[in-house]
DNA sequence: TAGATTGTTAATCGATTAACAATC
DNA sequence: TAGATTGTTAATCGATTAACAATC
């Protein structure tokens, strides 16, 4: 059922999930692919194709039950997984992510933060204690986190990523503005290249205003 | 020259730019599409197609001059533009972006920050004073920023975005975890949906470990 | 000149859209 | 039953890859 789903489809799932939650909040109980398409800016065809990658969630002549579809997509995404996550690098950005992101609602559980700066080690951030990088290895061996959030400088990210993979990390959420040079079959990497996005915005603005 | 470049190509440009800078730092003066392809994980064909969207930057039989290509891509992206930018919402995330992102190197100049919280208004963040949201309108009329970084809660983002567009904003860098319901021809939107990315990571990890 | 590598056209592949039979 | 809308197959579109003539 899940074999060979393209990343293009997968990346639309969280957006469907958000829109469906919104519909639920507005007490909408059913929706057709046509109407959802209008709201989301997708074609009705695409929506039906997307959902049918994972099985038939709709009912002919009726449409889709919003609650049911929301829950199914949540299951597909794995929102209930509670994969253990650590944040490595508790500067501005790591701090912000610890406080800002609801890991619990997105399939993860934040279990620890790490930094080298002595002034932040020992503090609580996002309700969790910040530990020293020296403790990372022992912590991972004991607690076996599945993913690591990399919010440290570009120069340090590569070495830490390698270390984490050796410690059994399965996924990296990479905020350092560079590509991690790792074999792609070792680990799943989601890059959040803020700098790239900002430069793309610059291009697109220039393009739009001539 | 710039007509009808697909977004797929544009989104690769910042990555090329990063890799070329890296090559320069390693004193590499020339590179072929083949070798660059190996390093970046693209096909040589794709690289040549991408560059030729904007004109012939290479030399047959030789390859591409790294310095020249870097500078040309920089110009295409508009790194020297210095579009004026404001950050709206100086919570954890806005704070982090102000301190973490080098706007100057990416075509922008940060000229002001805004928040409603009295305890942060008046402070300096990222070298700029934080102003109260009440001052946003007058500030924009006077200084005419081109883009706004939206780092405020989802519920507030929509209304603020509308206001900014009326004030002449041309681009939005949206970090609020929701879609701004705006006519796409009014403004360029770059979404950084952290939540969506994290959920995608969850899916992909589940997929990879079965 | 011979070798290398681009710029560019043609072929392929994958993703999106259209069409329609199935069925609620 | 008639109307609506899905699930799914076929057609189209766009992006990537392959091929090769041009040329440094």
């Amino acid at each position: 059922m899940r074999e060979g789903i393209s990343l293009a489809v997968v990346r639309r799932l969280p957006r469907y999930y958000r829109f469906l939650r919104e519909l639920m909040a507005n007490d909408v109980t059913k929706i057709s692919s046509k109407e959802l398409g209008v709201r989301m800016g997708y074609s009705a065809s695409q929506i039906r194709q997307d959902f049918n990658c994972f099985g038939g969630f709709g009912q002919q002549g009726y449409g889709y039950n919003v609650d049911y579809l929301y829950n199914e997509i949540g299951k597909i995404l794995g929102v209930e997984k509670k994969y253990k996550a650590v944040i490595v690098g508790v500067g501005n950005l790591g701090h912000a992510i610890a406080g800002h992101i609801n890991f619990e609602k997105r399939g993860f559980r934040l279990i620890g933060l790490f930094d080298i700066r002595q002034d932040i080690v020992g503090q609580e951030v996002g309700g969790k204690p910040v530990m020293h990088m020296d403790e990372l290895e022992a912590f991972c061996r004991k607690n076996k986190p599945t993913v690591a959030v990399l919010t440290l400088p570009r120069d340090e990210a590569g070495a830490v990523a390698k270390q984490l993979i050796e410690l059994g990390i399965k996924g990296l959420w990479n905020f350092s503005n560079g590509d991690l040079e790792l074999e792609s079959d070792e680990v799943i990497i989601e890059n959040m290249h803020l700098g790239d996005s900002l430069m793309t915005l610059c291009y697109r603005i220039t393009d739009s205003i001539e």
Side-chain angles (χ1 to χ4, degrees), chain A:
Chain A
M1 183 72 71
R2 194 160 187 152
E3 303 287 299
I5 305 297
S6 81
L7 198 53
V9 174
V10 175
R11 290 200 184 286
R12 282 192 290 269
L13 293 179
R15 189 154 183 267
Y16 286 123
Y17 195 64
R18 277 194 280 114
F19 271 78
L20 290 165
R21 186 175 44 194
E22 185 81 7
L23 289 171
M24 282 166 68
N26 294 333
D27 296 317
V28 177
T29 56
K30 76 133 216 169
I31 194 154
S32 67
S33 57
K34 187 179 169 189
E35 194 184 338
L36 188 58
V38 170
R39 291 184 191 239
M40 297 187 68
Y42 296 157
S43 73
S45 252
Q46 177 159 73
I47 288 173
R48 294 204 299 278
Q49 290 275 29
D50 284 352
F51 294 165
N52 276 92
C53 290
F54 305 97
F57 299 140
Q59 195 175 343
Q60 277 146 326
Y62 174 81
Y64 297 88
N65 178 293
V66 174
D67 262 64
Y68 175 70
L69 187 56
Y70 175 80
N71 285 123
E72 287 301 311
I73 292 179
K75 274 191 246 169
I76 291 163
L77 284 167
V79 294
E80 83 303 333
K81 291 282 183 189
K82 310 290 179 212
Y83 290 126
K84 293 177 212 165
V86 294
I87 294 179
V88 186
V90 194
N92 276 330
L93 197 53
H95 206 123
I97 287 164
H100 185 263
I101 295 287
N102 192 333
F103 285 89
E104 304 279 335
K105 282 194 179 163
R106 300 192 159 86
F108 297 93
R109 186 155 53 86
L110 182 60
I111 60 167
L113 300 94
F114 296 86
D115 205 299
I116 45 166
R117 287 168 48 222
Q118 280 299 348
D119 60 327
I120 194 160
V121 169
Q123 283 186 30
E124 279 221 347
V125 172
K128 307 288 167 189
V130 179
M131 291 165 270
H132 195 276
M133 283 296 285
D134 294 344
E135 303 174 62
L136 181 62
E137 182 172 340
F139 183 91
C140 288
R141 292 199 192 285
K142 189 178 173 202
N143 297 288
K144 305 208 182 306
T146 306
V147 307
V149 185
L150 299 182
T151 40
L152 28 71
R154 187 159 55 92
D155 300 336
E156 299 161 36
V160 172
K162 274 205 176 60
Q163 184 191 6
L164 286 163
I165 289 167
E166 279 162 24
L167 290 164
I169 282 277
K170 297 287 186 291
L172 294 169
W173 199 21
N174 178 39
F175 285 81
S176 74
N177 201 60
D179 287 296
L180 305 167
E181 287 175 27
L182 306 163
E183 300 304 318
S184 61
D185 56 350
E186 303 181 280
V187 64
I188 305 291
I189 302 173
E190 270 286 305
N191 284 307
M192 291 300 281
H193 287 321
L194 304 202
D196 287 12
S197 174
L198 188 57
M199 294 180 99
T200 302
L201 181 59
C202 183
Y203 177 96
R204 293 175 66 199
I205 287 171
T206 303
D207 211 37
S208 75
I209 64 181
E210 224 69 352

